[in-house]
Amino acid sequence: NAGVTQTPKFQVLKTGQSMTLQCAQDMNHEYMSWYRQDPGMGLRLIHYSVGAGITDQGEVPNGYNVSRSTTEDFPLRLLSAAPSQTSVYFCASSYATGGERSYTFGSGTRLTVV
Amino acid sequence: GNSVTQMEGPVTLSEEAFLTINCTYTATGYPSLFWYVQYPGEGLQLLLKATKADDKGSNKGFEATYRKETTSFHLEKGSVQVSDSAVYFCALIAPPWAGSYQLTFGKGTKLSVIP
């Protein structure tokens, strides 16, 4: 039972480069989301999806794109990396209905933009 | 909107000391409440949860009681260990009828336990 798998674990980008952070879950969860974690800020929601083909913006969406073509995968794209996007990124998934709406998190991707 | 406020850290305790990390929330209705723990270099793990007023969540010696009257969900442990050193996050999800799936987090409290 893999849970939520994020790749890569570490990445260094130059300003202006683009890249995709991968997230996959094998629990058949409808809901998936991306958070960024910054010191003293807690976790802030970037984008989320309630099912395949449906995405929406969270609290800090600027500079990021997402898509949800399958239930399992929810990649996060950085279009043109900036130093302000240096952060630790977490993907999380959950059932969207019923009482068991507790999230499973991936182990994170530590991104540095230089 | 929804919000979570938890006590500022860092918190440093000696082994076997009593731990309290305060958490209060603002939300409409009866949200579900959670404590997550993040060990160094790892992702977040669910520690415990409560989904209705007066529920007590418990796990690994940690407890928290959902207090609607004080809108609080304080985390407690009677005797901490060095292995409890981590960052603890209080969080909430709005009730299902609100149609929101977003986890709203507090800023986290770093706990260090010294031998």
Side-chain angles (χ1 to χ4, degrees):
Chain A
N1 53 348
V4 177
T5 302
Q6 287 185 239
T7 56
K9 292 191 181 300
F10 302 94
Q11 183 72 48
V12 178
L13 288 179
K14 294 183 178 179
T15 298
Q17 287 185 317
S18 62
M19 78 161 293
T20 299
L21 280 63
Q22 301 292 344
C23 175
Q25 54 90 11
D26 61 358
M27 298 169 284
N28 204 31
H29 285 169
E30 301 97 337
Y31 182 84
M32 297 185 74
S33 54
W34 278 100
Y35 289 85
R36 60 177 289 173
Q37 182 181 23
D38 302 294
M41 302 290 290
L43 282 84
R44 293 180 292 169
L45 182 65
I46 305 171
H47 285 285
Y48 66 94
S49 168
V50 298
I54 305 169
T55 64
D56 209 342
Q57 297 180 353
E59 183 183 354
V60 288
N62 292 340
Y64 307 95
N65 273 356
V66 292
S67 59
R68 184 94 180 268
S69 56
T70 66
T71 300
E72 294 78 18
D73 300 299
F74 191 47
L76 178 72
R77 296 182 187 85
L78 278 70
L79 308 173
S80 177
S84 60
Q85 294 178 305
T86 293
S87 187
V88 182
Y89 292 85
F90 289 100
C91 180
S93 71
S94 171
Y95 291 112
T97 57
E100 281 302 313
R101 294 196 304 162
S102 52
Y103 287 64
T104 301
F105 282 80
S107 57
T109 295
R110 185 175 295 274
L111 175 69
T112 302
V113 182
V114 298
Chain B
N2 300 332
S3 67
V4 175
T5 302
Q6 62 182 104
M7 63 186 287
E8 299 282 331
V11 174
T12 302
L13 295 174
S14 297
E15 208 165 20
E16 300 183 1
F18 185 86
L19 168 70
T20 299
I21 301 178
N22 290 337
C23 171
T24 57
Y25 68 89
T26 301
T28 302
Y30 288 80
S32 294
L33 302 174
F34 305 87
W35 278 100
Y36 281 86
V37 58
Q38 184 180 33
Y39 298 103
E42 298 185 10
L44 277 73
Q45 302 175 25
L46 178 65
L47 181 60
L48 53 84
K49 68 177 182 181
T51 58
K52 60 183 185 294
D54 300 324
D55 264 3
K56 178 184 285 188
S58 61
N59 187 24
K60 299 181 181 180
F62 290 89
E63 293 183 340
T65 301
Y66 191 144
R67 300 288 188 198
K68 179 63 175 174
E69 63 276 13
T70 54
T71 61
S72 65
F73 194 54
H74 305 322
L75 182 68
E76 297 181 337
K77 187 174 185 182
S79 175
V80 294
Q81 306 299 314
V82 172
S83 57
D84 294 327
S85 298
V87 180
Y88 292 82
F89 291 94
C90 186
L92 68 81
I93 299 177
W97 54 259
S100 170
Y101 305 93
Q102 179 177 344
L103 257 178
T104 299
F105 285 93
K107 293 186 177 181
T109 303
K110 184 176 181 179
L111 170 66
S112 297
V113 180
I114 55 177

